[in-house]
Amino acid sequence: MWYHTNMNPPLYLIDAYGLIYRSYFAFMTRPLRNNAGKNVSALFGFARTMVALLDDGAIAADSQGKRLDKLVKPLRLAAIFDSRTPTFRHQMYKEYKANRQKTPDDLHEQVPLVEEFLRALGVPCLKADGFEADDIIATLAEKCRAEK
């Protein structure tokens, strides 16, 4: 158990949009639909992954980075979302992500449902205007490294 060491428990940070996209496209050929006919593939995949993480745990490492032999249930967990506004990268380079395909509308419609699901679980949702999830994750990881 983490409490009889000098280490803080691991902080698990979920790239929310990354998991939402992966879940949505995993069911691309056979989308899951609710009773109203709305695509809920992203919500289903996201929820299934989160429940597995909370129930079973995930890989963790000790303070030297050595992988632990057993899965660890998260005691500190947050879902990180990309900014809904342009980031500093867009300001630096106007063509940033210009070649990326438009996100399907039925995927966008599921994001508030994922946020509602996370709130029901008590999982904090973090986002900051002008920053992508990766930026926030890197910042929090660096703060955790300094916590040792």
Side-chain angles (χ1 to χ4, degrees), residues 40-51:
V40 292
S41 301
L43 175 61
F44 174 81
F46 191 98
R48 186 172 176 172
T49 301
M50 290 300 296
V51 168

Side-chain angles (χ1 to χ4, degrees), residues 96 111 114 116 124 129 134 138 141:
Y96 181 65
V111 173
V114 168
E116 183 180 338
D129 283 347
D134 293 341

Side-chain angles (χ1 to χ4, degrees), residues 22-39:
R22 188 178 116 197
S23 299
Y24 176 86
F25 286 103
F27 295 96
M28 194 67 207
T29 59
R30 296 183 68 195
L32 303 174
R33 301 199 178 274
N34 64 12
N35 291 342
K38 296 273 189 182
N39 186 336

Side-chain angles (χ1 to χ4, degrees), residues 11-85:
L11 173 62
Y12 291 88
L13 301 171
I14 307 298
D15 180 342
Y17 283 121
L19 183 53
I20 289 167
Y21 271 70
R22 188 178 116 197
S23 299
Y24 176 86
F25 286 103
F27 295 96
M28 194 67 207
T29 59
R30 296 183 68 195
L32 303 174
R33 301 199 178 274
N34 64 12
N35 291 342
K38 296 273 189 182
N39 186 336
V40 292
S41 301
L43 175 61
F44 174 81
F46 191 98
R48 186 172 176 172
T49 301
M50 290 300 296
V51 168
L53 173 61
L54 294 170
D55 284 350
D56 303 332
I59 296 168
D62 65 17
S63 60
Q64 282 73 45
K66 182 177 181 255
R67 183 177 165 168
L68 300 176
D69 293 331
K70 63 181 179 132
L71 299 178
V72 176
K73 291 187 180 183
L75 299 175
R76 301 190 305 166
L77 170 68
I80 317 302
F81 287 81
D82 291 328
S83 172
R84 292 187 180 157
T85 64

